[in-house]
Amino acid sequence: MKMKNLKLVDPTPDLEADFCEMAAEWREAGENKFKDCFSDFALYVKSLAKQKEAKELLPNRVPGSTYWLVTDDLRIVGTSRLRHWLVPHLEKEGGHIGYDIRPSERKKGYGIAILSLTLAKARGLGLKEVIVTCDSDNVGSLLITEKNGGQHISTAVSDRTGKQVNRYKIVL
Ligand SMILES: CC(C)(COP(=O)(O)OP(=O)(O)OC[C@H]1O[C@@H](n2cnc3c(N)ncnc32)[C@H](O)[C@@H]1OP(=O)(O)O)[C@@H](O)C(=O)NCCC(=O)NCCS
């Protein structure tokens, strides 16, 4: 497939309609990332911007940047989150980067692209390497990590699900 031009953008209220369509797709797929679309979308976007700040952090929380992967026709095909540093529970599971591709756009290479573009943002923050973790039964995520230079460092057992989690290092 020829991939459309892609950009990783900061969340913006301008893309509310498409974001809400994507959230509906996730709900229909049983991936309840958002219970409903947001009654005040602009406030939601502001709350994401606030998460980048390092002040007034709750214990065990770290600042994080959220990005949306957008095609040149302004369709959001996925979201990613980049944690600016890690605390012990994230070292074990969660790592620096998480991402999701909308169900109707999967298996088109967007997963590989969103991790690659988020790694570039991590480089921009000055990170020299990142930890990425994947459930060991998540074949897509394992392939995406390996295709982005992931080196397997260990396997942990999730405190949350009891499942095996593969931990990777990616040198930037
Ligand atoms: C995992 C996920 C991000 C994959 O996104 P995607 O856009 O389909 O991934 P890509 O199209 O870039 O696929 C990358 C590779 O994985 C393979 N792949 C993707 N999903 C797969 C699946 N469910 N089973 C087997 N292989 C899969 C693709 O065929 C491709 O392999 P290839 O390059 O050898 O052809 C997507 O399914 C998703 O959002 N899942 C829910 C959230 C999640 O698991 N996030 C990752 C953990 S942080």
Side-chain angles (χ1 to χ4, degrees):
M1 182 201 107
K2 185 175 175 312
M3 185 137 5
K4 295 178 180 176
N5 287 327
L6 292 174
K7 268 192 307 198
L8 211 50
V9 301
D10 289 327
T12 162
D14 300 348
L15 295 177
E16 175 173 3
D18 194 47
F19 186 93
C20 289
E21 246 181 52
M22 178 172 70
E25 269 187 37
W26 273 324
R27 278 199 303 279
E28 278 155 28
E31 298 173 20
N32 288 323
K33 297 184 198 314
F34 307 102
K35 285 206 169 43
D36 212 331
C37 214
F38 305 87
S39 51
D40 188 338
F41 193 73
L43 192 64
Y44 169 63
V45 167
K46 267 195 195 147
S47 74
L48 294 177
K50 204 161 182 298
Q51 287 171 15
K52 290 196 227 176
E53 295 170 11
K55 55 186 180 200
E56 294 169 24
L57 285 174
L58 295 170
N60 274 328
R61 299 301 297 256
V62 297
S65 303
T66 295
Y67 301 104
W68 295 346
L69 185 67
V70 173
T71 58
D72 49 7
D73 51 2
L74 292 184
R75 181 169 164 80
I76 310 176
V77 290
T79 70
S80 70
R81 292 155 301 284
L82 167 63
R83 299 183 181 100
H84 298 186
W85 64 79
L86 298 183
V87 289
H89 75 92
L90 291 170
E91 288 270 356
K92 180 176 175 189
E93 184 179 10
H96 285 93
I97 296 175
Y99 51 87
D100 305 271
I101 299 299
R102 77 197 272 172
S104 62
E105 297 289 352
R106 289 182 183 168
K107 297 207 178 170
K108 298 179 182 176
Y110 291 129
I112 294 174
I114 201 168
L115 180 56
S116 167
L117 291 167
T118 309
L119 289 170
K121 297 283 187 187
R123 228 172 265 126
L125 270 186
L127 297 181
K128 300 287 181 245
E129 64 176 49
V130 294
I131 301 292
V132 174
T133 73
C134 322
D135 286 353
S136 60
D137 59 1
N138 189 339
V139 180
S141 173
L142 296 173
L143 282 168
I144 289 167
T145 305
E146 284 164 10
K147 286 175 187 237
N148 273 287
Q151 303 164 35
H152 184 249
I153 45 178
S154 65
T155 302
V157 175
S158 166
D159 296 328
R160 223 169 20 91
T161 63
K163 284 208 244 175
Q164 287 211 322
V165 177
N166 286 13
R167 301 178 63 254
Y168 293 85
K169 170 176 85 174
I170 302 178
V171 176
L172 299 173

